[in-house]
């Protein structure tokens, strides 16, 4: 696995380039920094910080800026540049951290403000549905990828703490996974069997809808990679080296449409539990001198 080459200079240069572009748009409109600040009801210091790369704008800041300088046709392009910067920064922060605790805490904060969750995973069980042992195996892989020997128990605890959101009123979870997720040997057979049992239990919650796409199902869209859609505001795609946060309306609508299409190819309720039981039989055969074991809660 190649190591990421992003560094603080990359992030600083990207922020400076974005600031220079905002400055150029202001000047093209014939406005001074103070005039633009008045038009936006911002302090003049904010204009200066944004243009000099000392502060990263939000999506709302970019839209307000381009609207004020009559450059609406530049909005999408500037937003794309901003999102590239944000991705680089997230990647850098991940590389600088000694562990996964802060990653789990950030995810928890995002989830605390979400009402409707749409989760799709094609390789592993989503974090909010993982057992402690399964989570431990996933976080240990992350440490191996980055060549770190760091304790992960605190991160496991944070991931399990995040799962409290599953039991809070007013939240809805639609989860879709592919059938291979139930079989991949990403942990020991004992751990995977426990995880399969956990899936059956979670699927019984009234606010959780768990779908499984059968491996022999002809799908309308290839299940290329996992992603989560938070309400109708944000899409998160996690790669080996970074977390991509997509918040443009067109991006969210695209991923929502993809999720809805994948969800139509999934089976639910008893048919989903049948696939889980089938997987448990197969995984049980990997146990030395043990018969196949099905999840108890069926």
């Amino acid at each position: 696995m190649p190591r990421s080459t992003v560094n603080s200079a990359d992030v600083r240069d990207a922020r400076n380039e974005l600031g220079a572009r905002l400055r150029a748009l202001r000047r093209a409109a014939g406005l001074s920094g103070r005039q633009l600040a008045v038009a936006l009801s911002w302090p003049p210091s904010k204009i200066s910080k944004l243009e000099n790369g000392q502060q990263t704008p939000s999506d709302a800041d970019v839209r307000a800026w381009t609207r004020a300088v009559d450059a609406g046709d530049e909005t999408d392009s500037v937003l794309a540049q901003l999102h590239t910067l944000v991705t680089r920064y997230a990647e850098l922060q991940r590389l600088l951290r000694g562990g996964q605790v802060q990653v789990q805490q950030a995810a928890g904060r995002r989830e605390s403000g979400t009402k409707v969750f749409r989760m799709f995973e094609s390789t592993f069980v989503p974090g909010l549905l993982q057992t402690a042992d399964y989570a431990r195996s996933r976080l240990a892989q992350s440490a191996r990828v980055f060549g770190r020997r760091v304790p992960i128990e605190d991160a496991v605890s944070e991931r399990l703490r995040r799962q409290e959101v599953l039991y809070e009123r007013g939240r809805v979870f639609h989860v879709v996974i592919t059938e291979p997720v139930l079989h991949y040997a990403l942990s020991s057979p004992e751990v995977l069997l426990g995880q399969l049992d956990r899936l059956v239990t979670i699927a019984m919650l009234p606010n959780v809808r768990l779908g499984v796409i059968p491996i022999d199902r002809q799908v309308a869209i290839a299940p290329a990679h996992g992603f989560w859609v938070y309400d109708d505001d944000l899409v998160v795609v996690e790669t080996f080296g970074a977390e991509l946060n997509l918040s443009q309306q067109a991006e969210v609508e695209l991923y929502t449409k993809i999720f809805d299409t994948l969800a139509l190819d999934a089976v639910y309720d008893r048919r989903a539990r049948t696939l889980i039981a089938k997987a448990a039989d197969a995984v049980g055969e990997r146990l030395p001198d043990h018969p196949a074991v099905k999840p108890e809660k069926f």
Side-chain angles (χ1 to χ4, degrees):
M1 177 64 60
R3 297 292 293 275
S4 174
T5 58
V6 71
N7 54 53
S8 58
D10 293 329
V11 173
R12 185 172 59 252
D13 289 346
R15 188 180 285 118
N16 287 336
E17 290 171 5
L18 178 58
R21 184 169 184 184
L22 293 174
R23 183 187 304 112
L25 291 174
R26 172 180 61 77
R27 289 177 174 173
L31 296 175
S32 67
R34 184 168 295 276
Q35 287 172 324
L36 180 57
V38 170
L40 293 171
S41 298
W42 292 353
S45 61
K46 180 173 181 176
I47 302 295
S48 176
K49 289 178 180 179
L50 292 175
E51 291 188 350
N52 291 292
Q54 298 173 347
Q55 180 178 332
T56 301
S58 65
D59 284 20
D61 290 339
V62 168
R63 292 190 178 97
W65 190 295
T66 55
R67 184 168 57 249
V69 299
D70 196 25
D73 57 337
E74 296 281 342
T75 302
D76 288 345
S77 178
V78 178
L79 283 173
Q81 188 173 350
L82 168 62
H83 295 159
T84 297
L85 165 61
V86 171
T87 297
R88 289 183 180 181
Y89 180 76
E91 182 178 0
L92 174 63
Q93 290 300 99
R94 175 169 297 192
L95 293 174
L96 292 177
R97 280 191 290 263
Q100 280 276 345
V101 174
Q102 294 182 46
V103 174
Q104 299 304 315
Q105 291 173 339
R109 288 191 295 272
R110 182 167 56 223
E111 290 155 0
S112 68
T114 302
K115 296 298 184 183
V116 178
F117 296 74
R118 300 178 184 89
M119 313 176 203
F120 172 73
E121 294 292 355
S122 59
T123 307
F124 48 80
V125 174
L128 286 183
L129 280 60
Q130 292 176 4
T131 65
D133 288 335
Y134 191 91
R136 191 171 291 111
S137 70
R138 301 302 311 130
L139 293 169
Q141 176 191 286
S142 179
R144 289 194 300 271
V145 166
F146 289 104
R148 297 192 183 110
R149 293 185 177 182
V150 295
I152 61 174
E153 289 308 311
D154 287 345
V156 172
S157 296
E158 284 295 333
R159 178 164 289 185
L160 295 184
R161 189 174 294 112
R162 287 169 49 200
Q163 296 179 4
E164 295 174 4
V165 75
L166 290 167
Y167 306 97
E168 295 178 359
R169 296 182 62 181
R171 303 187 193 275
V172 177
F173 302 83
H174 189 173
V175 184
V176 177
I177 59 176
T178 62
E179 186 178 354
V181 168
L182 308 174
H183 293 265
Y184 279 135
L186 304 180
S187 61
S188 69
E190 294 88 348
V191 168
L192 184 51
L193 282 173
Q195 180 60 70
L196 295 176
D197 185 72
R198 169 72 171 163
L199 283 180
V200 173
T201 301
I202 291 293
M204 295 296 186
L205 294 176
N207 61 330
V208 175
R209 188 178 187 215
L210 174 65
V212 181
I213 300 177
I215 195 169
D216 58 354
R217 176 65 54 87
Q218 183 174 343
V219 294
I221 297 178
H225 62 77
F227 60 90
W228 293 29
V229 182
Y230 296 83
D231 290 326
D232 295 318
D233 305 319
L234 176 69
V235 177
V236 173
V237 181
E238 187 174 299
T239 71
F240 280 107
E243 184 180 88
L244 308 181
N245 293 271
L246 311 176
S247 57
Q248 292 191 54
Q249 183 178 0
E251 295 170 328
V252 176
E253 289 178 352
L254 172 63
Y255 273 88
T256 300
K257 180 179 179 180
I258 291 172
F259 180 88
D260 290 343
T261 302
L262 291 168
L264 288 175
D265 287 325
V267 297
Y268 298 85
D269 303 321
R270 181 173 295 278
R271 295 174 67 187
R273 294 195 297 271
T274 297
L275 291 179
I276 295 173
K278 176 183 175 183
D281 283 338
V283 174
E285 292 177 359
R286 304 176 197 167
L287 294 170
D289 303 322
H290 283 76
V293 180
K294 293 183 179 181
E296 294 180 2
K297 301 174 183 178
F298 198 77

